Amino acid sequence: MKILVTGGAGFIGGNFVHYMVNKYPEDVIVNLDLLTYAGNLETLKPVEGKPNYKFVKGDIADRPFIMDLFEKEQFDVVVNFAAESHVDRSITDPGLFVQTNVMGTQTLLDASRQFGVKRYHQVSTDEVYGDLPLDRPDLFFTEETPLHTSSPYSASKAGADLLVLAYYRTFGTPVTVSRCSNNYGPYHFPEKLIPLMISRALADESLPVYGKGENVRDWLHVSDHCAAIDLIIRKGKVGEVYNIGGHNERTNLEVVKTILKALDKPESLIQYVTDRPGHDRRYAIDPTKIETELGWEPKYTFDTGIAMTIQWYLDNQEWWKHILSGEYSNYFENMYGDRLH
Ligand code: NAD
Ligand code: TYD
């Protein structure tokens, strides 16, 4: 099989490329990424040079480029991770989120239709369901929960999901959609909560906690997300949505305190800052469908996964320090500069 992975220089896409290149040497993985601020080819160093892996730089919303690429490569499967993914940035610049997340998805759908892709998989998020109240721990998002978004980020992801499902209903495009809870693990860009707090705590810098730190997220180790997507593209039913989550709810304050404890740093580093506008209170996934229909189950609890992740950040300081210093953005030029025409 020839599989197009978009956004494979980002956090989850990068982990997925590693997972697929190593697990399926007989498949060919083509990684298409625009290398925005969030794309980092240093993440792909372990797979560069493998015969079943190739990198292509480009924009999922660039229609002529995408049509040419699909015509040339004749992909069997498309897995779309490429997106603007940070809620705080979507509050500053909503238009970019519509452009990449909605227009980019539509472009990929058109190309998938035109060139007979056998499966288009959309990597979505539980944020399309909006949020749950803090005082109702009995409530969870199911695949039937209405879409009810809060941020320009989640609204753009919901728009993309609706397009994907419309292409199935209207044109019979063979699609699947997954909606996962918050991920953590290796190669996570240090603007998101967990890697930000680890890198700042290691530098003895203050840790900015929004509001009172009582918002709840449902954390899943990225490798469990990758395994779930692999299962869905092979065994999932066309036209279906699958929620992915492992019942690992924590308040933000609990997460930050866990990190401080593991690094032996004082809680006095915590600094409460003004809350995010429209801040979603609680996310919590009901994963019954993917567990019962596809037999997926997570390998890691939050306690085991966060310990591994903190260790990874300690062992790979060069990776995130290059990001903080801006050096990672020179990697493409250094690596590919003289190979570009
Ligand atoms: P990320 O920001 O780390 O990576 C996004 C990647 O997409 C980057 O490499 C970037 O260069 C690339 N990209 C951006 N615009 C592009 C464009 N126009 N064309 C080609 N490439 C482009 O994001 P992530 O956290 O790895 O998230 C990946 C996907 O998973 C997103 O679709 C996101 O909505 C979804 N998701 C994320 C989480 C999470 O906790 N991070 C949870 C559920 C779902
Ligand atoms: P984030 O990693 O941005 O993911 P999302 O908003 O998509 O869930 O944030 C996770 C939670 O942590 C969210 O409730 C906002 C909060 N947060 C902070 O308190 N401080 C921070 O500096 C950041 C980046 C996030």
Side-chain angles (χ1 to χ4, degrees):
M1 280 203 309
K2 193 183 262 191
I3 304 175
L4 174 68
V5 176
T6 70
F11 163 45
I12 309 175
N15 277 279
F16 188 71
V17 167
H18 287 195
Y19 178 97
M20 297 295 280
V21 165
N22 292 319
K23 186 167 176 193
Y24 300 105
E26 70 283 10
D27 288 343
V28 174
I29 311 297
V30 178
N31 174 8
L32 165 67
D33 198 293
L34 184 58
L35 300 180
T36 67
Y37 80 94
N40 182 358
L41 285 178
E42 292 184 359
T43 298
L44 282 319
K45 269 185 189 168
V47 294
E48 253 168 27
K50 297 236 178 180
N52 63 335
Y53 171 74
K54 182 162 99 178
F55 176 75
V56 179
K57 183 171 189 268
D59 184 347
I60 58 165
D62 179 342
R63 187 166 286 267
F65 162 77
I66 289 293
M67 291 296 171
D68 279 357
L69 182 73
F70 274 63
E71 184 171 22
K72 195 170 92 205
E73 297 281 0
Q74 299 291 319
F75 300 115
D76 298 295
V77 174
V78 174
V79 185
N80 182 26
F81 290 91
E84 287 295 331
S85 69
H86 192 38
V87 173
D88 292 327
R89 287 177 186 257
S90 81
I91 296 169
T92 319
D93 186 3
L96 180 59
F97 283 67
V98 175
Q99 173 62 20
T100 297
N101 300 358
V102 182
M103 302 306 288
T105 296
Q106 193 225 339
T107 306
L108 292 173
L109 285 166
D110 282 342
S112 298
R113 246 188 100 198
Q114 185 165 335
F115 295 101
V117 164
K118 296 183 196 80
R119 176 66 65 86
Y120 175 93
H121 182 73
Q122 178 74 359
V123 180
S124 187
T125 164
D126 61 355
E127 300 192 28
V128 298
Y129 299 121
D131 64 350
L132 296 163
L134 292 174
D135 59 359
R136 289 292 306 274
D138 54 314
L139 296 181
F140 296 91
F141 298 136
T142 73
E143 290 79 358
E144 306 307 320
T145 302
L147 304 193
H148 189 80
T149 56
S150 314
S151 69
Y153 163 66
S154 54
S156 68
K157 292 296 290 185
D161 281 19
L162 293 174
L163 273 173
V164 171
L165 295 170
Y167 271 59
Y168 169 66
R169 172 90 187 243
T170 306
F171 306 117
T173 311
V175 306
T176 38
V177 176
S178 54
R179 296 181 180 145
C180 190
S181 61
N182 284 64
N183 283 212
Y184 66 98
Y187 304 110
H188 202 178
F189 196 86
E191 68 179 352
K192 304 281 173 72
L193 180 75
I194 288 180
L196 182 83
M197 297 300 168
I198 297 173
S199 57
R200 288 185 68 87
L202 283 171
D204 295 309
E205 290 168 344
S206 65
L207 308 187
V209 170
Y210 298 167
K212 294 182 187 150
E214 63 192 7
N215 303 59
V216 171
R217 296 293 182 263
D218 184 357
W219 293 98
L220 188 75
H221 192 271
V222 64
S223 61
D224 284 325
H225 188 187
C226 293
I229 293 173
D230 181 24
L231 201 57
I232 295 168
I233 60 179
R234 279 157 214 278
K235 298 205 180 122
K237 207 169 141 219
V238 162
E240 293 289 314
V241 174
Y242 295 91
N243 282 355
I244 309 171
H247 287 298
N248 284 292
E249 289 178 51
R250 296 286 188 283
T251 67
N252 293 338
L253 207 50
E254 283 169 337
V255 171
V256 172
K257 286 185 177 173
T258 302
I259 292 169
L260 286 171
K261 193 165 174 221
L263 295 175
D264 199 20
K265 298 286 182 180
E267 289 188 7
S268 57
L269 287 178
I270 294 173
Q271 186 179 11
Y272 294 95
V273 300
T274 308
D275 211 350
R276 170 188 283 171
H279 197 173
D280 281 335
R281 293 160 297 175
R282 170 174 169 251
Y283 303 142
I285 283 274
D286 176 352
T288 306
K289 180 174 174 180
I290 190 166
E291 286 174 352
T292 54
E293 290 185 16
L294 303 185
W296 174 83
E297 55 177 42
K299 273 200 186 134
Y300 301 103
T301 62
F302 186 71
D303 293 335
T304 53
I306 194 72
M308 276 165 40
T309 302
I310 292 170
Q311 193 57 49
W312 188 89
Y313 278 85
L314 285 170
D315 295 341
N316 293 275
Q317 303 206 20
E318 203 186 329
W319 181 86
W320 55 267
K321 284 185 175 163
H322 269 191
I323 293 179
L324 297 180
S325 71
E327 267 181 72
Y328 77 106
S329 53
N330 301 329
Y331 184 84
F332 183 77
E333 281 305 313
N334 293 342
M335 191 69 195
Y336 296 87
D338 54 3
R339 289 198 250 152
L340 297 172
H341 302 291

